[in-house]
Amino acid sequence: MTRVLNIGSLNIDKTYQIERFVQPKETIKALKYEEFCGGKGLNQSIALARAGAEVYHAGAVGHDGGALLNILNEAGVHTEYIEEMDTVSGHAVIQVDQASQNNIIIYGGANMCLNKEYIDGVLKDFSKGDILLLQNEVSNVAYAIDRARAKGMLIMLNPSPFEDELTEYPLDMIDFFLLNEVEGKLLAEASSADPELIVSLLKEKYPNAAFALTLGEDGSCFFDQKQMIRQEIYKVKAVDTTGAGDTFTGYFIAGMAAGLEMKQIMRQASAASAISVGRCGAAPSIPDMDEVKEMMNGRGSL
Ligand code: RIB
């Protein structure tokens, strides 16, 4: 099976259930507070492992990162590359409103301590035929892209969070983008959120790349220069959407690593992400493959 190396963030998610999002100059009381393991990197590694992929996570935690390592180990992720730094772990402050929507602030902490030597040290054990997965929550992402390309690895980028610096990365070296409609619009520099416009601009801008684009209630699509495959959502009662995109990404890449047919990959990723929407938290909400199969067979109920 193809190996997946994920150089990505590990966060402690401080999650506040609230009536509605706090506004400028306002103080509101939270209805509930919980802490979960999260970080786009960690969530995607867990989804990959629960989907059956062989995944190696590289990144860093602080003194307070024990739970982050535990959840990865329990899921079967290889954690030998993760370093403990003399600082705090990354964390996220997440508001979840009564409509199950969220907004998120992240603080990088140890995630921003990955230097070029560290990345070289990890990449030396990987080569052509292996997949490198990246998001935009750790330091030196551009360097990792450049070095992995020189080795001939297949590079998959989830351009999230989408911030200005990301447009300066060597994005023409990316083989596969996995992104939502907001990131798609920004990456395409589209004048509207019209999915057809986004798709055509992305194909024009990155002619050698393939894309998995999630469109919220409108499902998701895979496309490259040759084909377009659409997938509807599995309808569930939403509880917390945090980590749903990461679940989609992890299951999607696991399907690719296992050599599945694209329609099957899309179904599986979509079912997995629907299950995660029906549960609280990021990493804890990610289903295993048996639950995903039940959902695809119409037996999943939430
Ligand atoms: O995609 C969800 C994740 O974004 C959360 O787990 C949070 O840590 C932020 O990285």
Side-chain angles (χ1 to χ4, degrees):
M1 191 191 293
T2 306
R3 297 188 304 168
V4 182
L5 168 65
N6 182 7
I7 304 182
S9 58
L10 303 121
N11 290 343
I12 297 164
D13 287 356
K14 298 167 186 286
T15 303
Y16 301 83
Q17 299 281 344
I18 35 109
E19 202 67 52
R20 55 175 177 76
F21 294 135
V22 66
Q23 302 297 308
K25 300 190 184 172
E26 198 185 31
T27 303
I28 60 168
K29 289 180 180 165
L31 304 172
K32 192 175 180 189
Y33 169 72
E34 286 172 287
E35 281 190 14
F36 298 105
C37 293
K40 294 182 199 309
L42 177 144
N43 299 337
Q44 292 174 23
S45 280
I46 289 196
L48 273 152
R50 291 189 182 154
E54 186 179 356
V55 54
Y56 296 77
H57 194 99
V61 293
H63 315 296
D64 51 353
L68 302 172
L69 289 171
N70 288 344
I71 196 169
L72 286 168
N73 285 324
E74 278 162 19
V77 176
H78 295 268
T79 55
E80 58 267 32
Y81 294 109
I82 299 177
E83 295 203 344
E84 185 182 321
M85 302 288 177
D86 189 16
T87 182
V88 293
S89 296
H91 76 257
V93 174
I94 304 179
Q95 298 181 63
V96 180
D97 74 4
Q98 296 306 290
S100 314
Q101 293 301 312
N102 65 37
N103 62 34
I104 304 179
I105 301 170
I106 54 168
Y107 174 71
N111 294 315
M112 300 312 285
C113 296
L114 308 188
N115 60 26
K116 293 179 178 170
E117 292 70 34
Y118 171 79
I119 286 168
D120 286 337
V122 174
L123 284 177
K124 76 172 173 10
D125 295 339
F126 294 84
S127 54
K128 192 173 166 65
D130 294 327
I131 291 174
L132 173 66
L133 169 60
L134 296 161
Q135 312 79 27
N136 191 30
E137 288 188 342
V138 298
S139 47
N140 279 305
V141 171
Y143 183 74
I145 294 172
D146 184 65
R147 295 293 78 216
R149 167 56 60 207
K151 289 174 115 6
M153 293 176 76
L154 192 74
I155 308 175
M156 302 196 162
L157 176 69
N158 168 219
S160 181
F162 198 107
E163 287 178 342
D164 285 349
E165 91 246 346
L166 199 135
T167 56
E168 282 150 35
Y169 295 172
L171 297 180
D172 54 325
M173 295 181 183
I174 303 300
D175 298 293
F176 217 112
F177 291 93
L178 300 112
L179 67 186
N180 66 23
E181 71 274 39
V182 176
E183 293 143 7
K185 178 172 182 271
L186 290 166
L187 187 65
E189 297 176 273
S191 54
S192 83
D194 172 16
E196 282 187 20
L197 174 67
I198 292 172
V199 168
S200 80
L201 288 173
L202 287 176
K203 280 166 68 174
E204 199 179 302
K205 205 166 165 195
Y206 301 103
N208 300 317
F211 297 83
L213 177 67
T214 57
L215 299 163
E217 290 289 303
D218 294 327
S220 52
C221 60
F222 161 81
F223 60 94
D224 59 13
Q225 298 295 338
K226 293 192 216 106
Q227 57 176 330
M228 156 72 77
I229 295 173
R230 291 176 198 277
Q231 171 67 47
E232 289 183 354
I233 56 162
Y234 285 79
K235 291 215 169 73
V236 294
K237 185 177 170 334
V239 172
D240 178 1
T241 55
T242 313
D246 300 328
T247 304
F248 183 98
T249 296
Y251 265 82
F252 187 99
I253 296 174
M256 286 195 66
L260 301 184
E261 192 232 329
M262 186 51 71
K263 277 196 178 142
Q264 174 70 4
I265 295 174
M266 293 292 285
R267 279 187 71 212
Q268 164 174 306
S270 173
S273 106
I275 295 171
S276 86
V277 164
R279 298 175 177 169
C280 284
S285 74
I286 300 169
D288 63 29
M289 189 52 109
D290 288 342
E291 296 173 290
V292 173
K293 284 189 177 147
E294 274 196 15
M295 175 67 103
M296 290 197 293
N297 291 333
R299 294 196 302 273
S301 71
L302 294 163

PDB file of all heavy atoms in Angstrom, residues 204-221:
ATOM      1  N   GLU A 204      -7.718  26.074 -15.351  1.00  0.00           N
ATOM      2  CA  GLU A 204      -6.877  26.938 -16.195  1.00  0.00           C
ATOM      3  C   GLU A 204      -5.580  27.311 -15.466  1.00  0.00           C
ATOM      4  O   GLU A 204      -4.497  27.292 -16.039  1.00  0.00           O
ATOM      5  CB  GLU A 204      -7.688  28.204 -16.474  1.00  0.00           C
ATOM      6  CG  GLU A 204      -7.230  29.023 -17.658  1.00  0.00           C
ATOM      7  CD  GLU A 204      -8.177  30.215 -17.780  1.00  0.00           C
ATOM      8  OE1 GLU A 204      -9.403  30.013 -17.926  1.00  0.00           O
ATOM      9  OE2 GLU A 204      -7.674  31.364 -17.686  1.00  0.00           O
ATOM     10  N   LYS A 205      -5.717  27.610 -14.171  1.00  0.00           N
ATOM     11  CA  LYS A 205      -4.572  28.091 -13.396  1.00  0.00           C
ATOM     12  C   LYS A 205      -3.583  26.979 -13.052  1.00  0.00           C
ATOM     13  O   LYS A 205      -2.380  27.194 -12.991  1.00  0.00           O
ATOM     14  CB  LYS A 205      -5.126  28.720 -12.093  1.00  0.00           C
ATOM     15  CG  LYS A 205      -4.224  29.749 -11.481  1.00  0.00           C
ATOM     16  CD  LYS A 205      -4.972  30.547 -10.428  1.00  0.00           C
ATOM     17  CE  LYS A 205      -3.974  31.301  -9.569  1.00  0.00           C
ATOM     18  NZ  LYS A 205      -4.545  31.816  -8.347  1.00  0.00           N
ATOM     19  N   TYR A 206      -4.112  25.776 -12.794  1.00  0.00           N
ATOM     20  CA  TYR A 206      -3.247  24.647 -12.402  1.00  0.00           C
ATOM     21  C   TYR A 206      -3.528  23.469 -13.335  1.00  0.00           C
ATOM     22  O   TYR A 206      -4.143  22.472 -12.936  1.00  0.00           O
ATOM     23  CB  TYR A 206      -3.503  24.269 -10.942  1.00  0.00           C
ATOM     24  CG  TYR A 206      -3.237  25.425 -10.000  1.00  0.00           C
ATOM     25  CD1 TYR A 206      -4.275  26.153  -9.447  1.00  0.00           C
ATOM     26  CD2 TYR A 206      -1.919  25.811  -9.710  1.00  0.00           C
ATOM     27  CE1 TYR A 206      -4.027  27.245  -8.621  1.00  0.00           C
ATOM     28  CE2 TYR A 206      -1.665  26.894  -8.883  1.00  0.00           C
ATOM     29  CZ  TYR A 206      -2.724  27.605  -8.344  1.00  0.00           C
ATOM     30  OH  TYR A 206      -2.478  28.682  -7.541  1.00  0.00           O
ATOM     31  N   PRO A 207      -3.059  23.551 -14.590  1.00  0.00           N
ATOM     32  CA  PRO A 207      -3.437  22.542 -15.587  1.00  0.00           C
ATOM     33  C   PRO A 207      -2.925  21.136 -15.284  1.00  0.00           C
ATOM     34  O   PRO A 207      -3.461  20.161 -15.801  1.00  0.00           O
ATOM     35  CB  PRO A 207      -2.820  23.078 -16.890  1.00  0.00           C
ATOM     36  CG  PRO A 207      -1.782  24.058 -16.468  1.00  0.00           C
ATOM     37  CD  PRO A 207      -2.226  24.627 -15.159  1.00  0.00           C
ATOM     38  N   ASN A 208      -1.900  21.018 -14.446  1.00  0.00           N
ATOM     39  CA  ASN A 208      -1.353  19.684 -14.168  1.00  0.00           C
ATOM     40  C   ASN A 208      -1.884  19.064 -12.883  1.00  0.00           C
ATOM     41  O   ASN A 208      -1.476  17.971 -12.503  1.00  0.00           O
ATOM     42  CB  ASN A 208       0.176  19.751 -14.084  1.00  0.00           C
ATOM     43  CG  ASN A 208       0.753  20.258 -15.384  1.00  0.00           C
ATOM     44  OD1 ASN A 208       0.301  19.844 -16.457  1.00  0.00           O
ATOM     45  ND2 ASN A 208       1.699  21.179 -15.305  1.00  0.00           N
ATOM     46  N   ALA A 209      -2.768  19.796 -12.193  1.00  0.00           N
ATOM     47  CA  ALA A 209      -3.256  19.300 -10.897  1.00  0.00           C
ATOM     48  C   ALA A 209      -4.634  18.666 -11.023  1.00  0.00           C
ATOM     49  O   ALA A 209      -5.363  18.895 -11.992  1.00  0.00           O
ATOM     50  CB  ALA A 209      -3.313  20.455  -9.896  1.00  0.00           C
ATOM     51  N   ALA A 210      -4.981  17.858 -10.020  1.00  0.00           N
ATOM     52  CA  ALA A 210      -6.347  17.342  -9.870  1.00  0.00           C
ATOM     53  C   ALA A 210      -6.915  17.956  -8.589  1.00  0.00           C
ATOM     54  O   ALA A 210      -6.152  18.455  -7.737  1.00  0.00           O
ATOM     55  CB  ALA A 210      -6.328  15.829  -9.780  1.00  0.00           C
ATOM     56  N   PHE A 211      -8.242  17.927  -8.463  1.00  0.00           N
ATOM     57  CA  PHE A 211      -8.898  18.638  -7.359  1.00  0.00           C
ATOM     58  C   PHE A 211     -10.020  17.800  -6.747  1.00  0.00           C
ATOM     59  O   PHE A 211     -10.775  17.153  -7.469  1.00  0.00           O
ATOM     60  CB  PHE A 211      -9.539  19.939  -7.863  1.00  0.00           C
ATOM     61  CG  PHE A 211      -8.556  20.921  -8.417  1.00  0.00           C
ATOM     62  CD1 PHE A 211      -8.115  20.809  -9.732  1.00  0.00           C
ATOM     63  CD2 PHE A 211      -8.049  21.951  -7.627  1.00  0.00           C
ATOM     64  CE1 PHE A 211      -7.183  21.706 -10.245  1.00  0.00           C
ATOM     65  CE2 PHE A 211      -7.134  22.847  -8.136  1.00  0.00           C
ATOM     66  CZ  PHE A 211      -6.697  22.728  -9.448  1.00  0.00           C
ATOM     67  N   ALA A 212     -10.140  17.872  -5.428  1.00  0.00           N
ATOM     68  CA  ALA A 212     -11.346  17.384  -4.741  1.00  0.00           C
ATOM     69  C   ALA A 212     -11.921  18.612  -4.043  1.00  0.00           C
ATOM     70  O   ALA A 212     -11.291  19.189  -3.151  1.00  0.00           O
ATOM     71  CB  ALA A 212     -11.009  16.303  -3.737  1.00  0.00           C
ATOM     72  N   LEU A 213     -13.097  19.041  -4.498  1.00  0.00           N
ATOM     73  CA  LEU A 213     -13.705  20.287  -4.020  1.00  0.00           C
ATOM     74  C   LEU A 213     -14.996  19.962  -3.281  1.00  0.00           C
ATOM     75  O   LEU A 213     -15.903  19.356  -3.863  1.00  0.00           O
ATOM     76  CB  LEU A 213     -13.996  21.186  -5.236  1.00  0.00           C
ATOM     77  CG  LEU A 213     -14.699  22.510  -5.016  1.00  0.00           C
ATOM     78  CD1 LEU A 213     -13.815  23.486  -4.218  1.00  0.00           C
ATOM     79  CD2 LEU A 213     -15.060  23.154  -6.375  1.00  0.00           C
ATOM     80  N   THR A 214     -15.086  20.346  -2.005  1.00  0.00           N
ATOM     81  CA  THR A 214     -16.334  20.132  -1.270  1.00  0.00           C
ATOM     82  C   THR A 214     -17.178  21.411  -1.356  1.00  0.00           C
ATOM     83  O   THR A 214     -16.653  22.523  -1.322  1.00  0.00           O
ATOM     84  CB  THR A 214     -16.077  19.753   0.203  1.00  0.00           C
ATOM     85  OG1 THR A 214     -15.298  20.782   0.827  1.00  0.00           O
ATOM     86  CG2 THR A 214     -15.340  18.425   0.318  1.00  0.00           C
ATOM     87  N   LEU A 215     -18.498  21.210  -1.473  1.00  0.00           N
ATOM     88  CA  LEU A 215     -19.401  22.338  -1.732  1.00  0.00           C
ATOM     89  C   LEU A 215     -20.536  22.402  -0.713  1.00  0.00           C
ATOM     90  O   LEU A 215     -21.663  22.773  -1.050  1.00  0.00           O
ATOM     91  CB  LEU A 215     -19.986  22.201  -3.147  1.00  0.00           C
ATOM     92  CG  LEU A 215     -18.965  22.223  -4.292  1.00  0.00           C
ATOM     93  CD1 LEU A 215     -19.576  21.684  -5.580  1.00  0.00           C
ATOM     94  CD2 LEU A 215     -18.452  23.654  -4.518  1.00  0.00           C
ATOM     95  N   GLY A 216     -20.252  22.033   0.527  1.00  0.00           N
ATOM     96  CA  GLY A 216     -21.280  22.090   1.571  1.00  0.00           C
ATOM     97  C   GLY A 216     -22.476  21.234   1.212  1.00  0.00           C
ATOM     98  O   GLY A 216     -22.332  20.076   0.809  1.00  0.00           O
ATOM     99  N   GLU A 217     -23.668  21.820   1.328  1.00  0.00           N
ATOM    100  CA  GLU A 217     -24.918  21.108   1.043  1.00  0.00           C
ATOM    101  C   GLU A 217     -24.993  20.583  -0.382  1.00  0.00           C
ATOM    102  O   GLU A 217     -25.765  19.679  -0.685  1.00  0.00           O
ATOM    103  CB  GLU A 217     -26.109  22.078   1.246  1.00  0.00           C
ATOM    104  CG  GLU A 217     -26.364  22.457   2.680  1.00  0.00           C
ATOM    105  CD  GLU A 217     -26.937  21.290   3.473  1.00  0.00           C
ATOM    106  OE1 GLU A 217     -27.977  20.782   3.074  1.00  0.00           O
ATOM    107  OE2 GLU A 217     -26.308  20.895   4.473  1.00  0.00           O
ATOM    108  N   ASP A 218     -24.191  21.194  -1.275  1.00  0.00           N
ATOM    109  CA  ASP A 218     -24.226  20.774  -2.684  1.00  0.00           C
ATOM    110  C   ASP A 218     -23.297  19.602  -2.981  1.00  0.00           C
ATOM    111  O   ASP A 218     -23.064  19.287  -4.153  1.00  0.00           O
ATOM    112  CB  ASP A 218     -23.894  21.960  -3.600  1.00  0.00           C
ATOM    113  CG  ASP A 218     -24.968  23.028  -3.515  1.00  0.00           C
ATOM    114  OD1 ASP A 218     -26.142  22.639  -3.311  1.00  0.00           O
ATOM    115  OD2 ASP A 218     -24.651  24.221  -3.613  1.00  0.00           O
ATOM    116  N   GLY A 219     -22.740  18.986  -1.949  1.00  0.00           N
ATOM    117  CA  GLY A 219     -21.940  17.782  -2.168  1.00  0.00           C
ATOM    118  C   GLY A 219     -20.483  18.093  -2.444  1.00  0.00           C
ATOM    119  O   GLY A 219     -19.904  19.021  -1.874  1.00  0.00           O
ATOM    120  N   SER A 220     -19.904  17.324  -3.330  1.00  0.00           N
ATOM    121  CA  SER A 220     -18.479  17.489  -3.622  1.00  0.00           C
ATOM    122  C   SER A 220     -18.217  17.051  -5.049  1.00  0.00           C
ATOM    123  O   SER A 220     -19.066  16.414  -5.684  1.00  0.00           O
ATOM    124  CB  SER A 220     -17.640  16.641  -2.655  1.00  0.00           C
ATOM    125  OG  SER A 220     -18.106  15.311  -2.674  1.00  0.00           O
ATOM    126  N   CYS A 221     -17.057  17.411  -5.562  1.00  0.00           N
ATOM    127  CA  CYS A 221     -16.699  16.944  -6.897  1.00  0.00           C
ATOM    128  C   CYS A 221     -15.203  16.719  -6.993  1.00  0.00           C
ATOM    129  O   CYS A 221     -14.420  17.375  -6.305  1.00  0.00           O
ATOM    130  CB  CYS A 221     -17.187  17.893  -7.991  1.00  0.00           C
ATOM    131  SG  CYS A 221     -16.551  19.553  -7.881  1.00  0.00           S
TER     132      CYS A 221
END
